Amino acid sequence: MAQCECLPRCPFFNDQMPDSSGLGAIYKRKYCVEGRADCARHVVFKRLGAAAVPIDLYPNMMEQARRIVASAP
């Protein structure tokens, strides 16, 4: 399975969470490699574009992602 197309420029992983071990590695595998459709950040990105993804949106915050998408004009 291919990596998420957002990974190289995703500020969540590139600036906020170390991904070499621990939780960062688990999140990266779960949301960026195995299941982009389960990533809240990717959901907002696909529906509204990169600029609409809040910097503090964690990949597991799907309810928040749904609210963001639903409230978009």
Side-chain angles (χ1 to χ4, degrees):
M1 186 174 285
Q3 288 191 96
C4 174
E5 70 271 22
C6 300
L7 189 60
R9 59 192 179 284
C10 179
F12 182 79
F13 287 105
N14 293 312
D15 296 334
Q16 292 187 353
M17 180 179 278
D19 62 2
S20 59
S21 64
L23 186 59
I26 293 167
Y27 269 40
K28 202 170 203 179
R29 183 178 62 247
K30 178 177 171 74
Y31 295 106
C32 302
V33 177
E34 296 174 1
R36 290 180 292 229
D38 296 328
C39 177
R41 298 182 61 79
H42 194 261
V43 166
V44 175
F45 165 76
K46 288 304 263 186
R47 298 282 176 98
L48 305 175
V53 182
I55 191 76
D56 60 349
L57 183 67
Y58 279 65
N60 63 335
M61 297 172 76
M62 193 58 79
E63 282 301 314
Q64 179 67 18
R66 288 185 186 115
R67 284 193 293 272
I68 292 168
V69 170
S71 67

